[in-house]
Amino acid sequence: MKQFWIVGLGLLPLVAGCSLFETNPVPPSPALTGVSAQDAAWKDQIKRVRGAEEARFEPLVEAREAVSAALAQQGVNDYDAASLEEAQQALDAAESGWAEVANKRRPNGDKLAAIATDAHRATRLAEIARYAAVREINLEKLVAVNDQLETREQSQPTRQARPVTGDARDLVGQKVVPDQLGEVSFQPGTARMKPASQEIVRQLAGLLERYPSVGVAVFGHTDNVGPSAASLERFVKANPKLEQQAPSQAEKVRAFNLALSAARARTVAQLLVDNGVPARRIGARGFGDTRPVASNDTQAGRQANRRIEAVIVPGPDSPEAQRARAENAGS
């Protein structure tokens, strides 16, 4: 079973760039003080190449490359088309500004600063769009492997939890929450974690600290029961796009449960970050009521379906992730 997980998860740079908290993966443009220093800095970014029709402005070159990479990234339009569109608009603005000064021997420093600002914005948004697509695709691969593993486990007459011991390779594939560390639970209908569960998440953070080469994927699940009618309507009104679709009652409940499970997974991830786990080692996703493990017709079944699962996966610096990056770069 361990090999099955390693093969499946070796495809993932997963947890590298998988985090929902890494919202600004592109370093900001360098800050300088003084008008003359700023002008000089931007002019230093202009590279005049012999034989070329026009000079190169480095921030603009970086923006072009970032947007091109985002456009080529599989799934980017499915997962973050808005950021990609904004990146393209910012790049267009930078291109327009550069066209006005490209052939001038001494371009205006303020104009260059404006171009650089648009270019850095294009780069940042393009990278966000690309990383969002990579993150979601990797999580989908992980979910597929997890579903296969659960099918295998359900076919076994008995299942004994393995203790959280051994080396990092032994840990990969273990569902440490709830199987080893215990259940993580929340106040009904909210993403407010119960105090006792916070200690379990801190134990998980300690485990990740002891094994720096691994990461964790956090999955949130709910039963199929929605909140009170008033809470459900508040949720719908707070989401204009959902309200515009005129959803049925069942669709409203499913949307609420999906949002709730995602919020709970993010709460766990954020508490891990608060306890020192680098965000790049964490992935988080909610599935609402789409992955039940028991019947929703009984109270016990519904309680079993309301759960957080935390699965240990190869971390961004693990040999598996490094091999995957090398294979992707060579393909």
Side-chain angles (χ1 to χ4, degrees):
M1 184 182 301
K2 178 181 69 176
Q3 291 179 343
F4 173 69
W5 267 96
I6 291 175
V7 169
L9 297 176
L11 299 172
L12 307 177
L14 168 73
V15 224
C18 174
S19 166
L20 299 181
F21 306 98
E22 211 167 16
T23 56
N24 185 9
V26 181
S29 54
L32 295 171
T33 58
V35 174
S36 61
Q38 290 176 354
D39 287 354
W42 295 130
K43 290 174 183 177
D44 283 345
Q45 296 293 303
I46 298 176
K47 309 298 180 184
R48 301 190 183 277
V49 181
R50 181 173 297 179
E53 294 183 1
E54 68 174 35
R56 289 163 46 99
F57 188 46
E58 291 303 308
L60 183 55
V61 172
E62 293 173 3
R64 289 168 179 163
E65 293 174 349
V67 171
S68 293
L71 288 169
Q73 172 61 52
Q74 176 188 0
V76 71
N77 283 313
D78 296 325
Y79 297 113
D80 200 356
S83 291
L84 181 59
E85 182 179 0
E86 290 184 47
Q88 187 64 65
Q89 291 172 352
L91 178 60
D92 290 345
E95 294 279 17
S96 178
W98 177 244
E100 298 177 10
V101 302
N103 295 317
K104 295 183 178 180
R105 295 299 301 176
R106 294 185 178 180
N108 179 272
D110 289 341
K111 187 65 176 179
L112 289 176
I115 297 168
T117 296
D118 287 330
H120 281 296
R121 174 173 168 77
T123 299
R124 176 175 175 273
L125 288 167
E127 291 293 338
I128 288 173
R130 185 166 66 87
Y131 291 162
V134 170
R135 178 189 68 214
E136 292 301 320
I137 290 170
N138 287 339
L139 276 173
E140 286 179 358
K141 291 178 182 177
L142 177 59
V143 169
V145 174
N146 188 49
D147 287 348
Q148 293 178 48
L149 178 62
E150 289 199 344
T151 299
R152 290 188 178 192
E153 289 175 341
Q154 290 169 3
S155 66
Q156 297 173 359
T158 59
R159 176 178 149 204
Q160 295 182 348
R162 290 173 288 174
V164 185
T165 58
D167 61 25
R169 291 181 65 86
D170 292 330
L171 285 177
V172 171
Q174 290 198 40
K175 189 180 294 182
V176 292
V177 173
D179 293 2
Q180 276 80 33
L181 300 180
E183 295 183 356
V184 172
S185 56
F186 297 80
Q187 299 296 335
T190 75
R192 294 192 296 273
M193 192 183 300
K194 293 182 178 179
S197 295
Q198 295 178 16
E199 177 55 32
I200 292 174
V201 177
R202 282 191 282 270
Q203 291 178 34
L204 176 56
L207 175 67
L208 294 169
E209 182 180 5
R210 292 197 302 275
Y211 295 92
S213 67
V214 302
V216 64
V218 181
F219 299 141
H221 304 271
T222 69
D223 59 28
N224 67 352
V225 178
S228 67
S231 295
L232 189 59
E233 288 309 309
R234 283 196 299 271
F235 167 75
V236 173
K237 289 182 179 178
N239 294 272
K241 290 184 179 180
L242 176 63
E243 189 174 26
Q244 290 168 8
Q245 296 172 11
S248 66
Q249 182 70 9
E251 290 170 338
K252 293 178 184 178
V253 170
R254 176 150 289 190
F256 177 89
N257 286 336
L258 181 61
L260 179 61
S261 65
R264 287 176 170 177
R266 288 195 299 270
T267 295
V268 173
Q270 185 62 64
L271 186 53
L272 288 172
V273 171
D274 293 343
N275 280 273
V277 180
R280 63 195 293 266
R281 295 173 61 193
I282 307 167
R285 173 178 269 190
F287 291 98
D289 56 22
T290 63
R291 299 285 200 282
V293 293
S295 171
N296 280 304
D297 294 334
T298 67
Q299 182 176 353
R302 291 190 293 274
Q303 182 174 349
N305 290 332
R306 298 190 297 268
R307 68 197 188 280
I308 287 288
E309 297 175 344
V311 179
I312 299 298
V313 297
D317 301 318
S318 67
E320 292 83 7
Q322 292 173 4
R323 279 199 302 271
R325 285 195 292 271
E327 290 171 2
N328 290 337
S331 61

